Amino acid sequence: MNTPGTDRPKLADATLSLHAGEGVRNVGEPLNAPPAFSTSFYSHPDAIGFSANDLSPDAPQFYTRWGNPTLDLLERRLAALEQGEAAASFASGMAAITALLFHRLKAGDHLVLSDVCYAGVAELAHDTLPRYGIEVSRVDASRPEAVAAAMRPNTRHVHVETPANPILRLADVAAIARIAHDGGAELSVDSTIGTPLATKPLLLGADYVVHSLTKYLCGHGDALGGAVIGRGDAMAGLRQSNLIHLGGCLAPFSAWLILRGLETLAPRMALHEANARRVEAFLADHPRVRSVLWPGSPRHPQHDLAARQMRNFSGLLAFSVKDGEGPALARRMADRLKVFSYAVSLGKAKSLIFYIPTADILRSSFRLEGPDAESYREWAGEGVFRVSVGLEDADDLIADLDAALGA
């Protein structure tokens, strides 16, 4: 018998995504995916009692909102991939970030937040956190000096997303970690688009890394999930305070689906990247296209940072078109595309595309004005087509886009 995945530094990510966290392997055991423990509760003579306040790290399985064997395996595997000590899984990426921010912040505290990030996070910061007395400053996280300028004596937390949705703008994790720590704050990084195969924020100095497991880590678009990875004591506190008490726990069957997706993460991300490279090159030369944003391209304004910080450039790109044609082209794409699906989300095996008008997202989610709004427009124009490049043949993807774009 042996214990795959426990000697983490000696195993590559492709191996960890298949084996990490399995524990002792006994002769004669099946080699298919571990079962989904779809039960709500367990019987055990050493049960901890009625209150989760008595929960200890070595407590037996008792209630699935507190812990579950399928969730435990997923969390160990995610921690191994990120080279963190522990992970906590949640029902969605938004549940993970919400739990982390409410765990870290209280009335009178200050949060520094990327001004371009997942729309749900931006709206949480704008609409919900201030109601609890939490101050929020939005900054262009691609400029570390802007993060430094936003720090205050009461800044307790900094949250950035890199690459940032939807314009693929990057944040220098190591530089921002130093700024946050010098100011007495902690840093969390949403690395959903990059995945652990691209960037390991904890190794660059971040205190927490957040993932929407719904996207690339699941890979099939059939399960919602989220996770936070970090120090063991921090994850224990997060689990007890805001996972158990806010109730956003991951369902065991969803965890099972995500574990299944993780088994093919490495080959999927390699093909996502290879296909995105081909699609980006096609779009960059198309006469209707104004600009293309993909970190793996030398045309990306921050490609040098991407080359330092990312080992895989992922499959998400964005492009804008000339002469205000975006809305009409979006309608044409929805009608004409045969391989791509005109749909939201990203990270699925099948290719997706969706148009995000700049005026709409600046008004509804980001709420940027003045120079900040102009900076976003420099990247996005009047709107971007967010393209989640899937695993189809690259020639078929290019032909599909070519037919929809027209001459």
Side-chain angles (χ1 to χ4, degrees):
M1 64 181 66
N2 55 31
T3 310
T6 54
D7 192 11
R8 296 191 315 218
K10 295 183 180 179
L11 297 178
D13 286 345
T15 306
L16 291 173
S17 64
L18 281 156
H19 294 291
E22 287 179 352
V24 175
R25 178 187 297 170
N26 295 309
V27 174
E29 286 186 347
L31 292 177
N32 59 323
F37 287 86
S38 295
T39 183
S40 302
F41 46 82
Y42 310 84
S43 174
H44 198 288
D46 299 320
I48 63 174
F50 193 72
S51 173
N53 289 328
D54 298 326
L55 186 66
S56 64
D58 57 349
Q61 299 291 344
F62 181 61
Y63 189 55
T64 284
R65 181 156 53 87
W66 304 0
N68 174 284
T70 311
L71 274 60
D72 290 353
L73 176 57
L74 174 62
E75 289 166 358
R76 290 194 300 270
R77 193 158 295 174
L78 292 170
L81 281 166
E82 287 289 1
Q83 296 192 29
E85 292 179 0
S89 58
F90 294 83
S92 67
M94 273 305 303
I97 291 180
T98 300
L100 176 63
L101 293 181
F102 276 109
H103 176 63
R104 290 285 305 136
L105 299 165
K106 64 183 185 304
D109 289 340
H110 176 237
L111 168 70
V112 176
L113 177 73
S114 293
D115 63 3
V116 175
C117 60
Y118 180 64
V121 177
E123 292 161 13
L124 172 75
H126 298 320
D127 299 329
T128 304
L129 296 183
R131 299 206 324 256
Y132 292 88
I134 298 165
E135 302 173 65
V136 181
S137 294
R138 298 164 291 163
V139 301
D140 178 354
S142 69
R143 299 172 53 240
E145 64 273 19
V147 177
M151 298 292 290
R152 302 177 187 172
N154 63 331
T155 303
R156 191 160 183 241
H157 199 83
V158 178
H159 179 78
V160 302
E161 180 178 323
T162 185
N165 191 352
I167 57 172
L168 289 305
R169 198 157 70 182
L170 306 180
D172 186 330
V173 175
I176 294 174
R178 289 191 294 271
I179 292 166
H181 296 157
D182 287 348
E186 290 189 331
L187 171 66
S188 58
V189 176
D190 186 333
S191 194
T192 295
I193 294 171
T195 82
L197 272 63
T199 308
K200 297 190 189 301
L202 300 179
L203 298 186
L204 295 172
D207 300 282
Y208 308 91
V209 57
V210 181
H211 288 285
S212 170
L213 304 178
T214 311
K215 311 301 193 302
Y216 287 110
L217 297 184
C218 175
H220 295 80
D222 52 9
L224 298 179
V228 182
I229 302 101
R231 300 185 312 276
D233 60 340
M235 292 303 97
L238 175 63
R239 180 183 303 277
Q240 189 154 1
S241 68
N242 280 22
L243 195 164
I244 291 174
H245 290 139
L246 294 184
C249 60
L250 183 63
F253 187 65
S254 294
W256 183 84
L257 289 171
I258 295 162
L259 279 164
R260 176 217 54 188
L262 280 175
E263 292 192 352
T264 59
L265 179 63
R268 282 191 291 107
M269 294 312 299
L271 186 52
H272 279 302
E273 180 190 58
N275 280 353
R277 191 176 301 279
R278 291 278 311 279
V279 170
E280 189 275 343
F282 160 75
L283 290 169
D285 288 336
H286 197 281
R288 288 188 182 275
V289 172
R290 168 187 170 270
S291 68
V292 191
L293 298 167
W294 181 61
S297 169
R299 287 176 279 264
H300 190 283
Q302 297 172 287
H303 178 65
D304 289 345
L305 174 60
R308 295 197 310 271
Q309 191 167 270
M310 302 177 73
R311 295 173 301 145
N312 174 285
F313 298 116
S314 195
L316 192 71
L317 59 85
F319 72 94
S320 58
V321 294
K322 300 173 182 176
D323 303 325
E325 292 184 328
L329 179 57
R331 170 53 58 186
R332 190 159 74 241
M333 284 188 163
D335 293 338
R336 293 186 182 181
L337 288 169
K338 305 300 182 186
V339 181
F340 278 87
S341 295
Y342 188 83
V344 296
S345 199
L346 58 100
K348 187 176 170 65
K350 296 179 180 179
S351 293
L352 310 172
I353 191 167
F354 194 78
Y355 183 62
I356 303 171
T358 293
D360 287 357
I361 200 166
L362 290 182
R363 171 187 52 80
S364 63
S365 298
F366 297 156
R367 303 177 201 179
L368 301 178
E369 298 176 346
D372 294 329
E374 288 308 307
S375 175
Y376 183 87
R377 288 181 186 278
E378 288 176 10
W379 287 68
E382 295 306 309
V384 294
F385 287 88
R386 187 181 64 186
V387 184
S388 179
V389 181
L391 306 182
E392 301 92 343
D393 183 88
D395 289 334
D396 292 335
L397 294 174
I398 290 169
D400 200 36
L401 286 173
D402 198 23
L405 282 166

